[in-house]
Amino acid sequence: MDINVEKYEHFLNEVLKRDLFDLNKQRDKIHAEIAEYTELEDVVRKLLKADLKGSLKTQVDLGSNFYCEAVVDKPNSLFVDVGLGCHLELTLAETLAFLPVRIKYLELTLTPFTERILKQKAKIKIFLEGLRQLQGISGPGEI
């Protein structure tokens, strides 16, 4: 009987919880992408408000919060990731029109992940209850 319990515990930890971890990781990646597009939307609004005619001096994050100074000769257009690894050069106005659509799409892709995460948590809870019964351990609220 202990061998079966060990197999079930292994399945719980190595399969069910790993799947939950992977789903959370994928959902977090989409949340991060939404945050980046939202930040880009704010920057584009500021650029349009500033109505720059010449070059723009700025700092660029190279990764790990390591910044370098950059000069943008044409601050009236941007290369934007439109999905599937494709980047398009868009004017600021086009970018501002595109970003809400992309953000809405990403938010819609979050819904299935949230549902799958809830189902996975339910599976884990049911599986844990089965393990408790198999081991003869009382669960929370039981005497």
Side-chain angles (χ1 to χ4, degrees), residues 75-119:
N76 56 355
S77 65
L78 299 169
F79 281 93
V80 180
D81 181 1
V82 294
L84 300 174
C86 295
H87 293 77
L88 290 178
E89 184 175 8
L90 302 173
T91 65
L92 295 178
E94 291 170 337
T95 303
L96 206 52
F98 167 76
L99 290 175
V101 174
R102 183 69 179 159
I103 292 169
K104 183 69 174 170
Y105 167 76
L106 291 171
E107 287 171 347
L108 289 174
T109 61
L110 281 176
T111 304
F113 280 107
T114 303
E115 291 171 358
R116 287 173 59 193
I117 287 169
L118 290 174
K119 287 179 183 177

Side-chain angles (χ1 to χ4, degrees), residues 26-140:
Q26 291 171 338
R27 185 182 64 175
D28 291 346
K29 184 178 176 185
I30 295 171
H31 274 295
E33 198 171 344
I34 290 172
E36 287 178 11
Y37 281 115
T38 303
E39 183 180 350
L40 178 61
E41 191 174 24
D42 291 341
V43 169
V44 169
R45 287 185 196 283
K46 289 176 184 175
L47 287 173
L48 283 171
K49 189 175 180 180
D51 194 30
L52 300 171
K53 301 294 184 204
S55 62
L56 171 69
K57 188 175 180 180
T58 186
Q59 289 188 341
V60 178
D61 185 1
L62 299 176
S64 300
N65 290 325
F66 184 76
Y67 290 88
C68 72
E69 289 190 7
V71 176
V72 181
D73 294 328
K74 282 183 5 181
N76 56 355
S77 65
L78 299 169
F79 281 93
V80 180
D81 181 1
V82 294
L84 300 174
C86 295
H87 293 77
L88 290 178
E89 184 175 8
L90 302 173
T91 65
L92 295 178
E94 291 170 337
T95 303
L96 206 52
F98 167 76
L99 290 175
V101 174
R102 183 69 179 159
I103 292 169
K104 183 69 174 170
Y105 167 76
L106 291 171
E107 287 171 347
L108 289 174
T109 61
L110 281 176
T111 304
F113 280 107
T114 303
E115 291 171 358
R116 287 173 59 193
I117 287 169
L118 290 174
K119 287 179 183 177
Q120 192 68 18
K121 286 180 178 180
K123 286 179 189 176
I124 290 171
K125 189 173 183 177
I126 290 169
F127 199 85
L128 283 171
E129 183 59 34
L131 267 178
R132 277 192 203 104
Q133 289 178 2
L134 189 61
Q135 293 174 322
I137 300 172
S138 63

